[in-house]
Amino acid sequence: MRPTPALQPVTEGWPAPTPGRPVSGVARVPGSKSLTNRYLVLAALADGPSRLRAPLHSRDSALMMAALRSLGATITEAPGSGPFGPDLLVEPIPAAASGDAAVDCGLAGTVMRFVPPLAALRSGTTGFDGDPHARLRPMGATIDALRGLGITVDDDGRGALPFTVTGRGEVPGVRLEIDAGASSQFVSALLLAGARFTEGLHLVHTGENVPSLDHIAMTVQVLRQCGVAVDDSTASEWRVAPGAIRAFDVEIEPDLSNAGPFLAAAVATGGSVSIPGWPAKTTQVGDKWRQILPQMGATAELSDGVLTVTGTGRIRGGVFADTSELAPTVAALCALADSPSVLTGIAHLRGHETDRLAALKTEINSLGGAVSETADGLRIEPAPLHGGMFGTYADHRMATAGAILGLVVPGVIVEDIAATSKTMPEFADLWTALVTGAAPGAEEG
């Protein structure tokens, strides 16, 4: 059984490679974190054993597996056909599961938000805690929602980790109103468990916009694939019918968000990078790369399941709306662009692994950039950049943003490249192989 890896800072930093030439090659990326963790949750609630093929093996997925095991699920590894690790076999949490448990959320938003409703379905008290940065992430909507369902939650008034959930073996299910303006994960967490509530769930978002609606659409799709009836025909409302969650055998798509930095290498250096296994139709937010990167002047062609992005050596700035988790990669490219850029609709990134807006501004400006925060995003002006330490804040997407800047700015040192273990432990090796054109992980093209 694999241990849960911890984030270990690399105090001397990681020199980001600067190839001095166009980057060209093929990069294969591991499975989607968002899909892997959703399917793991559904497998733990299903009516029989399930199999995840080509899942992500990373810190976030390891934390999710450890959490589900603590609630009573059995998860074992089986030989897989992919290059990134074994398949996963999941026996669901027994219907009569009971007893006290403890969940280490690490810095995984999916664990700290998706797992508490599952704990509410058991009899017993489950404690939740995580990394120091995790205690700063907003959890009030999840805690308030559980209380609205009649579940006892003790958080000492923090609205954040650590807290305990005391379940009684069932959740009745009601019409529930929440404000999910801080994260779409609050909605997804309740939808994933809603079919197991005695009367199902009628969930209503009461705030203004919900960020990252793509992730909610993903949740609805995987629920329907497992036989759960979900009505999302009314804006900001979701109805989940009570019933069984059908066991499944599914192949996980490659992580299209994590493909972004590799595609950005083509844009930044005027090269050409291909990602195999790109789905023709997907709910992953990373599919937006096919629109975003051409807006920056590159070409993006999807043919026979391979997405190829080719840069011109010039990066255009522009206005980029609702880029969600793609924003750090977009911001890094905008810092290399020859015209101004504005990123909008991403105020919720202030509550991610770190305050990503403040972190991007601070770290890009430390290299000579000209970045300012707006109410809901960033404004980035062209500026000559220089080398230096690029802070990562235990955030995997900050680490990959620093690597992108280092492609064309000599002397960039990424403070903690190990932060990428959250969703892609292989990042540094895959990145170096692609940038240098050496195996493994990249093929000269």
Side-chain angles (χ1 to χ4, degrees), residues 346-347 350 357 373-378:
I346 52 173
R350 293 188 170 101
L357 302 188
E373 284 191 60
T374 65
D376 71 339
L378 297 170

Side-chain angles (χ1 to χ4, degrees), residues 27-394:
R28 292 175 174 81
V29 297
S32 162
K33 181 265 292 186
S34 296
L35 286 170
T36 296
N37 278 2
R38 280 165 172 78
Y39 279 118
L40 282 170
V41 168
L42 291 177
L45 295 173
D47 60 5
S50 298
R51 182 172 189 141
L52 282 68
R53 300 179 186 272
L56 175 68
H57 291 278
S58 73
R59 189 181 188 227
D60 270 20
S61 60
L63 287 163
M64 180 62 82
M65 287 188 283
L68 298 176
R69 286 180 179 124
S70 74
L71 299 185
T74 300
I75 305 175
T76 57
E77 297 179 350
S81 58
F84 294 108
D87 293 351
L88 296 173
L89 306 178
V90 184
E91 294 280 351
I93 299 168
S98 63
D100 294 345
V103 171
D104 175 11
C105 301
L107 197 51
T110 51
V111 177
M112 66 183 72
R113 288 157 184 161
F114 291 2
V115 179
L118 276 65
L121 289 164
R122 299 171 75 255
S123 294
T125 298
T126 304
F128 291 83
D129 203 355
D131 294 355
H133 281 279
R135 293 185 172 194
L136 303 177
R137 300 188 71 172
M139 285 296 300
T142 292
I143 292 169
D144 291 344
L146 291 174
R147 288 174 175 153
L149 292 168
I151 306 302
T152 301
V153 183
D154 181 6
D155 68 334
D156 286 337
R158 286 182 295 270
L161 292 171
F163 59 84
T164 61
V165 174
T166 301
R168 297 188 300 271
E170 65 176 12
V171 175
V174 293
R175 183 183 189 275
L176 186 64
E177 295 185 355
I178 67 168
D179 183 351
S183 174
S184 66
Q185 289 178 346
F186 297 133
V187 172
S188 288
L190 294 163
L191 297 184
L192 288 168
R196 290 289 306 277
F197 298 167
T198 305
E199 301 170 16
L201 176 68
H202 179 195
L203 184 63
V204 180
H205 166 61
T206 59
E208 296 183 2
N209 295 329
V210 180
S212 304
L213 283 170
D214 296 293
H215 286 102
I216 298 176
M218 174 187 288
T219 300
V220 170
Q221 182 189 64
V222 299
L223 282 165
R224 288 172 175 161
Q225 288 173 349
C226 295
V228 177
V230 184
D231 180 357
D232 61 349
S233 58
T234 302
S236 297
E237 293 191 27
W238 301 266
R239 296 175 185 266
V240 181
I245 296 173
R246 190 171 58 232
F248 54 84
D249 184 328
V250 68
E251 183 167 353
I252 306 298
E253 298 172 0
D255 195 311
L256 308 188
S257 296
N258 277 343
F262 299 94
L263 297 174
V267 181
T269 66
S272 182
V273 172
S274 297
I275 307 288
W278 201 279
K281 186 177 182 181
T282 180
T283 54
Q284 288 193 62
V285 67
D287 198 39
K288 289 183 178 180
W289 290 124
R290 294 198 286 152
Q291 291 77 48
I292 293 171
L293 298 181
Q295 188 179 343
M296 294 182 150
T299 62
E301 179 182 356
L302 180 60
S303 178
D304 295 328
V306 178
L307 180 67
T308 300
V309 169
T310 303
T312 62
R314 180 200 170 197
I315 305 173
R316 291 198 305 257
V319 177
F320 304 94
D322 301 321
T323 51
S324 188
E325 65 194 41
L326 313 182
T329 294
V330 174
L333 286 174
C334 289
L336 301 173
D338 59 11
S339 53
S341 299
V342 177
L343 280 65
T344 67
I346 52 173
H348 62 286
L349 296 190
R350 293 188 170 101
H352 275 226
E353 281 80 349
T354 186
D355 179 340
R356 283 181 174 163
L357 302 188
L360 287 164
K361 179 187 73 171
T362 298
E363 299 309 317
I364 294 174
N365 287 353
S366 75
L367 303 183
V371 182
S372 56
E373 284 191 60
T374 65
D376 71 339
L378 297 170
R379 182 180 300 276
I380 304 175
E381 302 286 340
L385 302 182
H386 55 74
M389 183 68 74
F390 191 89
T392 50
Y393 306 82

